[in-house]
Amino acid sequence: MSHHIVEFKDVHFRYPDGTDALQGVSFRITHGEAVGIVGANGSGKSTILMHMNGYLMPSKGSIIIGDLELTRHTRQEVRRKVGLVFQNPDDQLFMPTVLDDVAFGPLNLGMSPEAARQRVHEALKTVNCLGFEHKPAHHLSGGQKSAVAIASVLAMEPDILVMDEPAANLDPRSRRALINMLKTFTHSKIIASHDLDLILDVCNRCIVIRNGIVVADGLSKTILSNETLLEENNLELPLSLQRR
Amino acid sequence: MHMADALLSPAVGATFAAGSLAAIAYASKKLKSTIDDKTIPLMGVLGAFIFAAQMINFTIPGTGSSGHLGGGMILAILLGPYAGFLVLASVLTVQAFFFADGGLLALGCNIWNLGVYPCFLAFPLLYKPLLGNSTSHKKILIASLISAIVGLQLGAFSVVLQTLLSGRTDLPFNTFLMLMQPIHLVIGIVEGFITAGVISYVRNVRPELLEQVMQTRPLDAKISIKKILIAFFVLSLVTGGALSWFASTHPDGLEWSLAKVTGKEELSGQHGEISGGLKKIQDTSALFPDYTFKSNSETKESGDASWPGIEPGTSVAGIIGALLVLGFVFLAGISIKAIRKKQSQS
Amino acid sequence: MKFDKEYFNIGRLDLLSYQDTPVHRLDPRAKVITTLIFILAVVSFPKYEIAALIPFFLFPVLLISFGDLPVGFLIKKILIVSPFAVLTGMFNPLFDENSISFFTLTFSAGWISFASILLKYTLTISAALVLIATTSFPGMCHALRKLGLPSLFVSQLLFLYRYLFVLMEETMKIVRAHDMRSFGKQRMQSHTAARIIGSLFLRTVERAERIYSAMLSRGFQGDVLSLRQERIHSTDILFAISTIIVIGLFRWHSLPVMLGTLIQGAML
């Protein structure tokens, strides 16, 4: 229960087309932490996220998730622990109905249909989407889709929740609902986003990535009020810290 | 062209539906054991892509009329024959439901006409051999054109056969052919150009993507030509046997329109070509056992005769009864709707 | 413009299929089987049959009424016909050499067979539309799977359905962007279409990549598993059996002729 560590040790990654996306990333995230990952476009944020559930494997260096070192053999096991929520819910909801989507994970974990149904119920309850079970994803609004996408990951009861731009397409109200919901989660949370106000609200720690390496790692309120640092990384102060 | 339920007889419809189902089952089985996990979502989304792409209308240069993509060839080229066929069949199925284009029974014919010929004949027997290992745009264009044209010609010819064998229309064989084949020649040319255009575009912009997609094809993608030919031979025997039985017991089939047309004086202008063409067909049909022309007297005896010898008496009764039934049916519908509306309001 | 209309129509049919009415609640398997039998019965009528086809309208009418389906919308869909049936049948009056005398009028029997085709067309298309409007597409697919369709093909249908609307919207956006920049030129050129289709294809492949990674991240190992457990109820069986019996009756006994003869007899 206390070993939900995510540790990157000098991780390098090169894409097949030759791009050196990660050039020695190192950090350590412990149980229950909420960490934001920020940086310019192309800095390597998404690449880092895709390593966390073994979709990508490091060219050099090692990754430890929980008690396991990430290898091709431990990938499936890692995916039980790490729930990855993608940027576009349309990519994440690929089954005909909400019920099918949220049950997809539990069923793949080998659970019985009854146990899976129970998980679905709890997950949908957490995201306030009970009653949507028989709807197809394209009948949902953007905010509802995001919520269901999160539910589909929660249903696997991961220890670590990783999210890529979770509020990107949400209207302000849905975004606020998302932020409030995230604050109630006890999982370890790792959130990559340009929405610095969201990071400020949800994550107490922040890691800045530039050109595939970590250039800053500390408390969100410190890092996100450092104008120079932010501007060096194509960012600016969170709106809530800017003076009008 | 899409076949329609209204033009089909149960025998023809059921035969091709069975054929299409068999093809789907065969392709599914072949894929299941060899398919890459990655291909499953790819096939699904490509199906949606073809569906959407078919709705893009463009002008055909030279004719001014509009055309759209068919997609059979592109799918076979990209995914291989088995997966390509399944994707195309899925697109046609969804169209049959959401557009109700033609009907559900006709779906069997459509999957056969638009799927089997491009994927299992034109692609392995024409496109692949013609293209070989080349990647030149010119060769792609030629291979696409020829396979698309032949595939569509076969499909169009199938439609003609299916319509004629069902016996619901009176279009003579030759006239029908003269109408269908040239149109589909143009459609085939367009399809060939668009197919080559898309493949070339993708090859230019993201060649690695094309490679990636084509690599996900099952390793067993080489179809044994022998197997195809055997399958078609068997199928033609079966359909020939079934349909000849059918044709001999139900005169409202091919030979009925043939009989009508050969006795024709009115079609004087085309008389020479038609009887010439028909004579050829009659000669080939002599290969089928029990394929005879029924005389008029025999047809009056068979219960399901297409020529019911309408007598004024029964037809008037029929009309009166029909109007009554129609009135009753619509009254029933309207009252039920009204009752349900009241129920939901209360 | 036509694209928008198609999209709207499909969307509307799709929405209708999720309603809750007695018809919607029937088991999809029962509906599929009875619809197929209905269609087979209708097309099995000989070339010149008209009167005996009329009672068959009872089925679509009843299902539309009990299914709370919008009549106007469906009629419009039926009228915007696939031209093939009409175009081919249209030649019947021309080529059919038999003629009929009716009181003082003489005309080609081809008109009768053409009318028969039109009736059959209306009936079969209505049956298909009613089926899809009262049964959600996923429900239909699962019914087909239970009836024996290969599960790989059923998965394919379900994936297609899921991304249908997504892809249509994406395509609409591109087509609109093109239309907005083609002042004057009415229609798209074929080479432009090839490029648009090509770029759509690329985006689709990239999307498939993302979907696959989402599937992997939720433990996908090759089999798409399902939770569905539809049970047949006695209402479904009752519906199916009674419908099939009535279809059989209508097929082999021409109700209008019986009625009409009765009336004639009564009047004389």
Side-chain angles (χ1 to χ4, degrees):
Chain A
M1 254 299 259
S2 54
H3 296 296
H4 302 151
I5 297 183
V6 175
E7 182 162 9
F8 275 48
K9 287 187 187 161
D10 191 36
V11 171
H12 293 248
F13 182 78
R14 168 178 289 184
Y15 277 103
D17 64 1
T19 323
D20 280 313
L22 301 181
Q23 309 193 49
V25 173
S26 301
F27 56 77
R28 189 168 198 268
I29 297 173
T30 54
H31 171 65
E33 277 197 87
V35 181
I37 301 192
V38 304
N41 283 342
S43 54
K45 300 195 303 289
S46 292
T47 312
I48 290 180
L49 259 48
M50 286 198 278
H51 276 83
M52 287 190 183
N53 73 339
Y55 187 67
L56 296 175
M57 300 287 299
S59 326
K60 212 168 86 173
S62 67
I63 297 177
I64 310 223
I65 312 266
D67 305 320
L68 296 169
E69 172 156 353
L70 180 66
T71 68
R72 283 189 199 281
H73 303 287
T74 56
R75 265 207 286 223
Q76 278 297 113
E77 196 54 42
V78 164
R79 282 169 191 158
R80 287 169 180 251
K81 297 175 184 289
V82 178
L84 182 46
V85 181
F86 290 68
Q87 185 169 341
N88 187 347
D90 273 325
D91 295 337
Q92 189 122 31
L93 302 175
F94 43 76
M95 297 293 279
T97 64
V98 165
L99 176 66
D100 293 320
D101 257 317
V102 184
F104 185 81
L107 285 175
N108 278 331
L109 286 177
M111 299 179 79
S112 68
E114 300 80 48
R117 271 183 200 275
Q118 188 56 28
R119 284 280 181 95
V120 170
H121 184 88
E122 281 157 16
L124 286 177
K125 193 161 163 206
T126 310
V127 303
N128 273 323
C129 285
L130 276 177
F132 285 176
E133 285 86 344
H134 298 288
K135 280 185 180 266
H138 59 270
H139 286 179
L140 301 176
S141 72
Q144 291 165 340
K145 272 196 249 188
S146 275
V148 173
I150 294 175
S152 72
V153 169
L154 289 180
M156 295 179 74
E157 290 190 356
D159 307 313
I160 301 159
L161 199 58
V162 180
M163 304 176 82
D164 193 353
E165 295 287 1
N169 294 316
L170 299 183
D171 64 31
R173 181 156 155 186
S174 310
R175 175 182 170 279
R176 186 46 57 187
L178 174 73
I179 291 178
N180 291 339
M181 175 172 45
L182 289 177
K183 295 216 282 216
T184 65
F185 287 172
T186 54
H187 313 74
S188 306
K189 296 183 280 279
I190 303 175
I191 303 178
S193 182
H194 284 311
D195 187 342
L196 300 180
D197 289 273
L198 182 147
I199 305 264
L200 203 53
D201 261 359
V202 177
C203 306
N204 75 317
R205 177 175 159 199
C206 187
I207 296 177
V208 184
I209 309 283
R210 182 165 77 220
N211 291 335
I213 53 170
V214 176
V215 295
D217 183 351
L219 291 177
S220 304
K221 47 188 186 188
T222 321
I223 291 191
L224 294 178
S225 49
N226 184 336
E227 268 189 87
T228 336
L229 177 65
L230 291 173
E231 266 156 38
E232 278 172 1
N233 288 282
N234 290 12
L235 304 169
E236 51 173 39
L237 284 177
L239 297 172
S240 51
L241 295 184
Q242 290 179 15
R243 262 162 302 155
R244 281 215 120 256
Chain B
M1 278 289 180
H2 284 238
M3 200 44 191
D5 279 358
L7 299 175
L8 280 174
S9 71
V12 175
T15 306
F16 281 91
S20 293
L21 279 171
I24 291 177
Y26 175 66
S28 300
K29 196 165 133 218
K30 271 279 177 177
L31 280 177
K32 216 174 167 106
S33 44
T34 55
I35 203 175
D36 199 302
D37 280 358
K38 215 173 189 180
T39 316
I40 296 176
L42 182 63
M43 279 168 64
V45 205
L46 280 180
F49 153 72
I50 292 282
F51 191 103
Q54 284 185 347
M55 288 162 73
I56 301 179
N57 282 318
F58 48 85
T59 41
I60 303 173
T63 57
S65 52
S66 72
H68 63 87
L69 177 71
M73 283 314 304
I74 289 191
L75 285 171
I77 295 169
L78 293 170
L79 293 172
Y82 302 110
F85 174 71
L86 277 190
V87 175
L88 189 67
S90 67
V91 173
L92 290 169
T93 306
V94 176
Q95 283 176 339
F97 281 111
F98 282 106
F99 291 141
D101 215 3
L104 295 180
L105 186 62
L107 180 59
C109 296
N110 289 329
I111 292 181
W112 185 270
N113 300 342
L114 298 167
V116 170
Y117 297 122
C119 296
F120 291 120
L121 278 184
F123 174 70
L125 298 176
L126 286 173
Y127 186 85
K128 264 176 76 170
L130 280 174
L131 191 61
N133 282 321
S134 162
T135 52
S136 92
H137 290 257
K138 200 157 159 215
K139 274 213 163 163
I140 292 179
L141 181 61
I142 294 176
S144 305
L145 273 172
I146 295 183
S147 359
I149 290 174
V150 172
L152 275 157
Q153 288 295 298
L154 284 173
F157 186 66
S158 263
V159 172
V160 174
L161 275 184
Q162 286 154 356
T163 312
L164 248 33
L165 286 167
S166 297
R168 304 296 187 232
T169 66
D170 292 306
L171 258 184
F173 185 69
N174 247 54
T175 322
F176 209 165
L177 271 184
M178 283 305 121
L179 289 174
M180 288 288 277
Q181 308 299 134
I183 294 180
H184 285 83
L185 182 63
V186 177
I187 297 180
I189 294 175
V190 172
E191 181 81 8
F193 271 105
I194 295 285
T195 302
V198 174
I199 301 282
S200 296
Y201 173 85
V202 175
R203 208 174 262 289
N204 272 343
V205 176
R206 295 283 295 275
E208 80 282 2
L209 218 57
L210 197 60
E211 280 317 303
Q212 196 187 331
V213 171
M214 291 171 89
Q215 259 166 31
T216 62
R217 283 201 256 162
L219 299 160
D220 199 21
K222 292 195 183 67
I223 293 199
S224 149
I225 292 184
K226 204 165 100 180
K227 275 199 190 151
I228 294 182
L229 290 176
I230 292 178
F232 267 85
F233 181 63
V234 171
L235 187 69
S236 53
L237 279 182
V238 169
T239 41
L243 292 170
S244 62
W245 160 83
F246 166 73
S248 63
T249 54
H250 295 261
D252 50 325
L254 177 55
E255 74 275 22
W256 190 249
S257 27
L258 285 180
K260 287 275 151 262
V261 170
T262 41
K264 248 354 344 19
E265 237 73 277
E266 262 81 323
L267 301 171
S268 48
Q270 301 160 313
H271 190 78
E273 296 138 62
I274 290 183
S275 40
L278 290 170
K279 182 111 203 346
K280 263 200 237 141
I281 295 165
Q282 287 173 37
D283 288 340
T284 41
S285 66
L287 292 170
F288 292 167
D290 300 320
Y291 194 97
T292 58
F293 284 93
K294 288 281 190 180
S295 64
N296 274 9
S297 50
E298 279 179 73
T299 61
K300 283 225 175 93
E301 279 153 35
S302 55
D304 255 353
S306 63
W307 186 229
I310 296 180
E311 300 131 26
T314 26
S315 60
V316 170
I319 292 179
I320 296 178
L323 288 173
L324 267 176
V325 172
L326 212 54
F328 166 73
V329 164
F330 286 113
L331 217 79
I334 295 174
S335 10
I336 293 175
K337 270 219 165 221
I339 294 175
R340 281 188 66 78
K341 216 174 176 184
K342 264 222 191 105
Q343 276 180 347
S344 67
Q345 278 168 359
S346 59
Chain C
M1 289 313 116
K2 196 175 169 254
F3 200 118
D4 287 13
K5 215 161 67 150
E6 299 278 21
Y7 179 64
F8 170 73
N9 281 334
I10 298 178
R12 182 131 188 233
L13 263 179
D14 181 55
L15 270 171
L16 282 173
S17 70
Y18 286 91
Q19 283 183 319
D20 185 25
T21 71
V23 182
H24 286 81
R25 276 174 252 143
L26 286 168
D27 189 288
R29 278 168 285 183
K31 283 185 275 191
V32 169
I33 293 179
T34 47
T35 304
L36 281 174
I37 293 183
F38 177 86
I39 292 178
L40 279 171
V42 166
V43 301
S44 74
F45 276 105
K47 200 167 157 191
Y48 294 101
E49 189 59 66
I50 295 189
L53 281 170
I54 303 283
F56 280 85
F57 278 101
L58 187 65
F59 299 102
V61 166
L62 281 182
L63 290 172
I64 290 176
S65 311
F66 280 111
D68 290 342
L69 299 177
V71 184
F73 171 67
L74 289 176
I75 290 185
K76 241 190 257 173
K77 279 218 96 181
I78 296 173
L79 287 180
I80 305 174
V81 295
S82 140
F84 188 60
V86 178
L87 282 178
T88 329
M90 203 164 72
F91 286 101
N92 283 11
L94 255 124
F95 283 105
D96 194 339
E97 287 320 305
N98 303 296
S99 50
I100 302 189
S101 306
F102 195 69
F103 297 118
T104 49
L105 294 165
T106 312
F107 48 84
S108 161
W111 287 106
I112 308 278
S113 60
F114 183 40
S116 181
I117 289 180
L118 290 177
L119 276 177
K120 287 176 184 169
Y121 179 84
T122 314
L123 283 169
T124 54
I125 299 298
S126 316
L129 278 175
V130 167
L131 177 63
I132 188 60
T134 57
T135 317
S136 74
F137 192 76
M140 184 102 63
C141 290
H142 287 282
L144 290 173
R145 187 169 46 93
K146 292 244 178 72
L147 291 173
L149 209 57
S151 54
L152 185 63
F153 186 61
V154 175
S155 290
Q156 168 64 16
L157 285 171
L158 290 171
F159 260 109
L160 210 189
Y161 171 72
R162 167 63 188 99
Y163 285 100
L164 189 58
F165 299 89
V166 177
L167 261 295
M168 279 205 286
E169 275 181 34
E170 218 179 298
T171 310
M172 260 199 321
K173 282 190 197 148
I174 299 186
V175 171
R176 251 188 230 147
H178 164 273
D179 289 345
M180 282 196 263
R181 302 208 311 258
S182 34
F183 325 96
K185 286 220 185 105
Q186 289 290 51
R187 289 249 196 83
M188 199 185 293
Q189 302 292 303
S190 54
H191 59 265
T192 318
R195 294 219 181 90
I196 290 184
I197 293 175
S199 72
L200 254 181
F201 167 73
L202 291 174
R203 304 226 300 233
T204 305
V205 174
E206 284 167 352
R207 179 186 290 277
E209 192 74 49
R210 298 195 300 269
I211 295 170
Y212 181 60
S213 65
M215 292 173 85
L216 283 180
S217 67
R218 294 200 334 251
F220 181 58
Q221 296 191 60
D223 285 306
V224 182
L225 308 161
S226 174
L227 256 189
R228 301 248 169 177
Q229 355 151 291
E230 312 270 355
R231 257 165 298 144
I232 296 259
H233 303 280
S234 46
T235 15
D236 305 317
I237 301 185
L238 195 63
F239 163 77
I241 293 186
S242 48
T243 312
I244 295 176
I245 291 180
V246 178
I247 290 178
L249 279 172
F250 282 176
R251 174 62 183 85
W252 276 289
H253 300 275
S254 175
L255 191 64
V257 172
M258 281 163 41
L259 260 178
T261 330
L262 227 86
I263 295 185
Q264 275 187 322
M267 288 196 317
L268 292 174

